[in-house]
Amino acid sequence: MIQHVAETVTFTLNKGVTPEEFVTLSQASEGFVRANPGFIFRRLSCGSDGSWTDTVIWKDMETALKMAEDFGKQEFVPALMAAIAPDSVSIRHETIHWTLAPN
């Protein structure tokens, strides 16, 4: 049985980067993410404390790890990473054991 994987990246933005600017920078990665047949879902959120979470659901761990490796090689990455406070980044890959969705 294939177990989906949640890739969760948390971070804060560098001073002077607005949420709107960051969302636009993040949207530049859409083509890369969607092009992988193992892509299932993605959500970008921000808490009231300024902490951001980028969550991607992948088909399996192999896909998640491969995409994480390939992500850094994309041409949109330098601008995206320049907006993020480098010491604030945390990335996790976790196997999903249960999901509840609306009927």
Side-chain angles (χ1 to χ4, degrees), residues 40-82:
I40 297 174
F41 173 84
R42 185 176 189 187
R43 173 181 39 232
L44 181 63
S45 57
C46 181
S48 60
D49 65 351
S51 295
W52 287 76
T53 303
D54 190 352
T55 304
V56 184
I57 308 301
W58 298 107
K59 175 182 76 170
D60 54 29
M61 188 63 77
E62 179 181 354
T63 300
L65 295 176
K66 175 76 170 125
M67 293 301 288
E69 179 183 329
D70 291 350
F71 188 85
K73 302 172 186 172
Q74 305 307 306
E75 63 183 47
F76 57 80
V77 170
L80 186 65
M81 295 310 293

